[in-house]
Amino acid sequence: MNPALLEINGLAKRHGDVAVFAHVNLRVAAGECVAIIGESGVGKSTLLNCIAGLETVQAGQVRLNGTDVITLTPTAQALLRRKQLGFVFQAFHVLPHLSVAANVALPLLLQHRPDPQRVQVMLDAVGLGDVGGRLPATLSGGQLQRVAIARALVHRPPLILADEPTGNLDAASAERVLDLLLAQVRQQGAACVLVTHSARAAAQADRLLRLTANGLRAE
């Protein structure tokens, strides 16, 4: 197996007095895609947020390329996300005042390496090559999901966190997006943690794990 790009040890999360999950351990190698399933409300999206340093945890380690994300300052976490993470949010989180192309270009601009050609390649890859100049308000939910996916992959991040990336897509678009995600993982040596309710999406992953209150277990 390739070296571990992401290592999670003993991760525990609480909301006030309510335990969300505990004892989460996970190792994801470069070039590997891991799918996580579980009941609604079990904390799958929360787990992705914790991996990204977007939520605090009560115990455990999240090591990305050897760096413990949990112990970094908020500023350092933001810089790490900017360079090393591609996050596909379930709620899209596109910026409404920016064009589609500008939304996709944002990760590159934040790293001071603009690349309009790369942006166009990604828009073409998700089937949105002709809408780069439009505003997000003019797009459907499925199109916005594809914008979010193009944005997450445009800077070739080593770790991709994808929260229901095909949830708003028709079957043909979902297959196209899955192919794109897996190509990023397998051809460029990225790692992917994919939260999904889609049996087809889960079947494309290298491993399938179920999240419960007591951790992750293989399916």
Side-chain angles (χ1 to χ4, degrees):
M1 177 179 282
N2 292 336
L5 195 148
L6 174 68
E7 288 185 278
I8 301 173
N9 299 300
L11 202 66
K13 172 66 179 177
R14 302 181 66 88
H15 286 309
D17 295 330
V18 178
V20 180
F21 52 71
H23 314 300
V24 171
N25 299 290
L26 178 63
R27 181 186 188 278
V28 187
E32 184 182 23
C33 181
V34 174
I36 296 177
I37 60 173
E39 301 298 324
S40 295
V42 75
K44 301 183 298 297
S45 296
T46 299
L47 175 58
L48 293 187
N49 288 338
C50 292
I51 293 172
L54 294 170
E55 294 195 34
T56 59
V57 299
Q58 280 63 55
Q61 289 183 325
V62 175
R63 302 188 72 84
L64 175 56
N65 274 329
T67 298
D68 188 355
V69 178
I70 303 301
T71 61
L72 296 177
T73 66
T75 298
Q77 287 177 336
L79 290 172
L80 179 141
R81 285 192 294 271
R82 184 180 299 178
K83 293 181 178 180
Q84 300 202 49
L85 284 182
F87 205 135
V88 182
F89 293 95
Q90 199 169 359
F92 316 138
H93 292 312
V94 297
L95 299 179
H97 60 287
L98 295 181
S99 69
V100 167
N103 267 283
V104 174
L106 195 57
L108 293 168
L109 294 176
L110 289 172
Q111 295 184 46
H112 307 290
R113 52 187 185 98
D115 189 344
Q117 184 176 359
R118 172 67 178 168
V119 170
Q120 187 61 49
V121 166
M122 292 308 304
L123 287 173
D124 290 339
V126 297
L128 296 175
D130 59 346
V131 304
R134 290 167 56 179
L135 289 174
T138 68
L139 272 57
S140 69
Q143 288 173 315
L144 289 172
Q145 182 72 298
R146 286 183 278 161
V147 172
I149 290 163
R151 180 185 58 193
L153 300 181
V154 71
H155 57 305
R156 299 181 178 91
L159 177 63
I160 302 161
L161 302 177
D163 193 356
E164 294 287 357
T166 62
N168 294 283
L169 302 179
D170 58 72
S173 295
E175 185 166 351
R176 186 173 192 168
V177 160
L178 283 174
D179 287 346
L180 183 63
L181 280 171
L182 292 175
Q184 182 88 0
V185 170
R186 289 163 184 162
Q187 294 174 15
Q188 300 188 29
C192 178
V193 180
L194 167 71
V195 163
T196 186
H197 284 104
S198 165
R200 177 168 177 76
Q204 297 293 314
D206 299 297
R207 284 188 287 150
L208 179 59
L209 304 174
R210 179 176 293 275
L211 180 63
T212 70
N214 292 311
L216 290 165
R217 59 177 173 81
E219 283 289 291

